[in-house]
Amino acid sequence: MAVRADDIEIRDDFALLIDGELVTGSATLDVINPATEQIFARCPAGTTFELDAAVNAAARAFPAWSALGFSERADFVKRYVIALGERYDELAELLVREQGKPIAQARAELDSSFRLANETVELEIPAEQLVDSGKHRIELHYRPLGVVGIITPWNAPAALALGGLGAAVYTGNTCVIKPSPYTPLTTLKLGEVAREIFPDGVVNIVSGGDDLGRTLSEHPGVQKISFTGSVATGKKVVVSTADTLKRFTLELGGNDPAIVLEDSDPQAIAKKIFFACFVNCGQVCMAIKRIYVHEAIYEGLCQALAEEAQSARFGNGLDPDNALGPLQNEMQFRKVVEIFKDTIDGGATVLSGGEIPDRPGYFLPPTFVTNVADDSRLVTEEQFGPIVPIMRFTDIDDALRRANDTRYGLGGSVWTKDTARGKKIAARLEVGTAWVNRHRAISAYVPFGGAKESGIGRQNSVLGLKGYMEPQVISVTDQDS
Ligand code: NAD
C-alpha cells in the first residue's frame, strides 16, 4: 500500500524475509531519494527480536540445506537468477531511486551480479588428496560453516547482497543479510524473490540500522560475517566477532592509484580512466582515487580528462542522458564537499568541475584537481566521491613510493603501451589487485580483496568460496597397517 505524506507518495510495499515469511516488524526506516532529498519509501527496521528469529530460522534450515550437493544448490541459485531477471526493470529502477546511480549503471550492477552468481556456481571445490601411500590416505575436505551474516554498504547494495548470498548458499551455508539503512529496498525485493525459490530459512533478510549490524556480528548463532563497508566499521566487526571467534571476510575501502607512464596515448586512455574514476559518482571501493602521470604526457592527459569531465552530464539517474547521479547521502555529500574545500584552501587548482550546484539533490560535478599536496586529505583519505587529484611524476620509483604511501591496498593500475614493463611495475603496487591498462575489472573466477587495511580475505573464485567453508582433514589408515 502507498501512503501520502505532504504531496509525496511514499511507497511502503517492503517486508523482511524471515523463515520464508514476509514480515513487517514493529519499527520502520525512512528511505531518501538522493536525487531529490525527499523520503520516497518506508520499510521495516528489524530489531533484535527479528534478528534472533532470522538467525534461528537459518540455523534450523542449515542441516537439510548443507546435506544437498553442490549441483543441487547450484540449480537453486540459477533458478533464483532467472526469477530475478523477470523483475529486472523494477529492480533497476528501484536501485536508481534509493542509491542514485544512473539507470545504465543500475542495470550493469544487476547484469554483473547475475553473471557472477551463475559463474560462481560453476566453480568446483573438490577434496584434495594430500597423502596416498597405500595404507594411509589423507584428504582435505571443505565443510560449510553454518549461518553466515552478510552486512552490506550503500554503494552497490544489489551486487554485494547477491554476491554474498550466492557464495554463502552455494557452499552449503544459510544466511542472514543486513543491508545498509540508506539502501535497504532493492535488497528487500531480492528477498521477495528468494522466498519463491529457496527452502524456508535458507535466505533471510533483515534491514535495520548500524546497531543491527553489530548485533549480527556478535550473535552466537552466526558462524561467519561477510562484511563490506568502511575500514572504521570493519575494525568494529573484528572486535564484535572476537567473543565467538567467528570467521570473517572484510571487504573495505580503497584509495586506488593509477600510474600513467610516458608512452601512453592520452586520447586512447582518457575515457577508460574517466569512467574508472567517476562510475557511481566515485562511490566505488575500487574506483581510481589518485592519478599519477609522467610529466612527459601530463598536460596532454589533463586536457583529455578535462574534456571527458566537461562533456559528462550529471543529474537524476533516471534520465538516461546523465553519466553521473548524486552522492548517495547527505553525510557523504558533506564529507566530499569538506575534502574539496580543504584541497582548494591548500592551494590546489580546479581543472574541471568544482562548482557546487544550488539545487535539491546531493549533486557534484565530476571534478579533477591539480597542484594537490601529497599530504592533503584528498590524497591520503578515501574521498568516495567525484573529486579526483591528478599529480605529476618524473621518476617511476618516486611514483610507486607515493602510490604505496597509504594504509589502503585494494587495487591499483599502471597504464602503458609496454605491457611487460607495466606488469613489473604493477607487481610493486602493495594492493590486492594490480591491473595494467584497465581498472575495476572483477570476475567470478578471480579472487578480489584488499591488502593492508583494505580488508582481510578474498571474495570470488575458489579461494573466495573456501572462505565460506571450514577445512577438514580426513585421515584414514587401514586396520592391518
Ligand atoms: P559502513 O561501514 O558505514 O556501513 C556498512 C554496513 O555496516 C552497513 O550495513 C551498516 O549499517 C553496517 N554497520 C555499521 N556499524 C556497524 C557495526 N558496528 N557492526 C556491524 N555492522 C555495522 O560503510 P558505507 O559507508 O555504507 O560504505 C562505504 C564503504 O564501503 C567505503 O569505504 C567503500 O570503499 C566500502 N566498500 C568496499 C567494497 C569492497 O569490496 N572492498 C565494496 C563496496 C564498498
Side-chain angles (χ1 to χ4, degrees):
M1 188 184 77
V3 290
R4 277 183 173 276
D6 300 329
D7 58 349
I8 307 158
E9 192 167 284
I10 297 186
R11 275 184 71 172
D12 65 352
D13 56 325
F14 301 95
L16 312 176
L17 176 64
I18 300 174
D19 204 10
E21 297 293 329
L22 295 174
V23 178
T24 48
S26 50
T28 57
L29 268 176
D30 287 342
V31 182
I32 290 172
N33 179 338
T36 61
E37 298 182 45
Q38 288 179 328
I39 295 168
F40 79 103
R42 189 160 290 149
C43 74
T47 61
T48 307
F49 176 76
E50 281 94 17
L51 194 73
D52 282 344
V55 172
N56 291 338
R60 280 194 304 276
F62 176 68
W65 181 252
S66 57
L68 297 177
F70 278 98
S71 68
E72 281 171 282
R73 293 192 298 257
D75 286 344
F76 276 98
V77 172
K78 286 181 187 165
R79 283 200 286 125
Y80 181 45
V81 171
I82 292 168
L84 288 171
E86 285 161 13
R87 294 180 62 175
Y88 181 80
D89 289 334
E90 172 206 339
L91 292 171
E93 196 178 310
L94 183 60
L95 186 53
V96 175
R97 285 187 201 280
E98 69 171 337
Q99 204 283 332
K101 64 186 61 183
I103 184 74
Q105 292 175 27
R107 291 190 185 119
E109 179 172 339
L110 294 178
D111 292 340
S112 61
S113 43
F114 293 175
R115 189 172 56 247
L116 189 104
N118 278 329
E119 290 176 354
T120 294
V121 300
E122 297 292 333
L123 295 170
E124 288 181 15
I125 310 173
E128 296 158 35
Q129 185 89 46
L130 303 180
V131 173
D132 185 1
S133 63
K135 290 177 184 294
H136 303 292
R137 295 169 300 281
I138 304 179
E139 293 170 0
L140 182 59
H141 291 246
Y142 292 88
R143 297 165 57 84
L145 293 164
V147 179
V148 175
I150 299 168
I151 302 176
T152 59
W154 44 255
N155 64 329
L160 294 165
L162 278 174
L165 183 160
V169 302
Y170 175 55
T171 47
N173 303 284
T174 55
C175 65
V176 177
I177 303 177
K178 201 226 56 93
S180 165
Y182 291 109
T183 53
L185 304 178
T186 314
T187 310
L188 293 171
K189 290 294 169 192
L190 299 181
E192 279 181 18
V193 183
R195 177 174 183 252
E196 295 162 12
I197 304 294
F198 292 101
D200 294 351
V202 170
V203 174
N204 304 273
I205 301 185
V206 185
S207 46
D210 293 350
D211 280 355
L212 206 68
R214 186 173 44 74
T215 310
L216 184 60
S217 311
E218 289 172 347
H219 205 292
V222 173
Q223 279 71 43
K224 174 186 165 116
I225 292 291
S226 170
F227 174 82
T228 311
S230 62
V231 172
T233 311
K235 290 178 182 177
K236 291 183 191 163
V237 169
V238 173
V239 174
S240 315
T241 54
D243 202 36
T244 47
L245 285 184
K246 283 184 186 57
R247 277 60 185 143
F248 55 76
T249 313
L250 303 178
E251 293 289 344
L252 309 178
N255 192 2
D256 287 15
I259 300 180
V260 186
L261 304 188
E262 60 276 19
D263 65 353
S264 292
D265 173 357
Q267 293 304 329
I269 61 174
K271 253 191 196 356
K272 288 183 194 166
I273 292 184
F274 177 81
F275 190 73
C277 290
F278 296 115
V279 60
N280 198 17
C281 206
Q283 301 165 115
V284 175
C285 53
M286 56 183 145
I288 293 176
K289 297 187 177 123
R290 297 173 285 153
I291 309 176
Y292 296 92
V293 188
H294 191 276
E295 62 178 354
I297 60 157
Y298 182 80
E299 300 300 338
L301 187 61
C302 282
Q303 195 184 331
L305 288 173
E307 281 164 15
E308 291 295 330
Q310 278 145 11
S311 64
R313 277 187 47 178
F314 64 98
N316 194 316
L318 290 173
D319 178 345
D321 289 337
N322 287 328
L324 278 81
L327 274 300
Q328 200 282 323
N329 58 68
E330 186 182 358
M331 181 192 63
Q332 187 61 23
F333 176 78
R334 287 185 189 282
K335 181 185 142 189
V336 176
V337 168
E338 195 185 288
I339 290 179
F340 174 64
K341 288 187 172 156
D342 185 77
T343 309
I344 299 306
D345 290 347
T349 311
V350 174
L351 176 70
S352 66
E355 322 83 31
I356 302 168
D358 182 19
R359 67 182 207 226
Y362 307 125
F363 293 105
L364 288 176
T367 299
F368 285 114
V369 288
T370 55
N371 299 317
V372 185
D374 279 355
D375 63 355
S376 67
R377 288 185 63 193
L378 185 62
V379 176
T380 58
E381 294 182 21
E382 182 189 37
Q383 69 275 48
F384 221 56
I387 320 268
V388 175
I390 313 180
M391 290 158 292
R392 193 190 291 263
F393 74 87
T394 49
D395 171 57
I396 186 61
D397 290 332
D398 179 53
L400 276 163
R401 183 191 55 73
R402 291 158 72 196
N404 285 330
D405 185 18
T406 168
R407 65 195 178 108
Y408 293 100
L410 193 57
S413 55
V414 179
W415 300 75
T416 172
K417 287 182 184 152
D418 181 350
T419 50
R421 181 174 173 231
K423 190 174 140 190
K424 282 191 190 145
I425 294 170
R428 294 172 63 194
L429 286 169
E430 297 165 357
V431 296
T433 305
W435 292 278
V436 176
N437 294 325
R438 65 198 309 210
H439 202 111
R440 211 186 67 90
I442 58 166
S443 120
Y445 309 114
V446 181
F448 177 75
K452 297 176 167 174
E453 292 191 22
S454 284
I456 294 183
R458 293 293 182 269
Q459 298 288 357
N460 304 340
S461 79
V462 173
L463 186 65
L465 290 180
K466 285 180 179 172
Y468 288 83
M469 307 188 87
E470 188 70 42
Q472 182 188 40
V473 171
I474 309 238
S475 182
V476 178
T477 300
D478 290 341
Q479 261 195 1
D480 59 358
S481 65

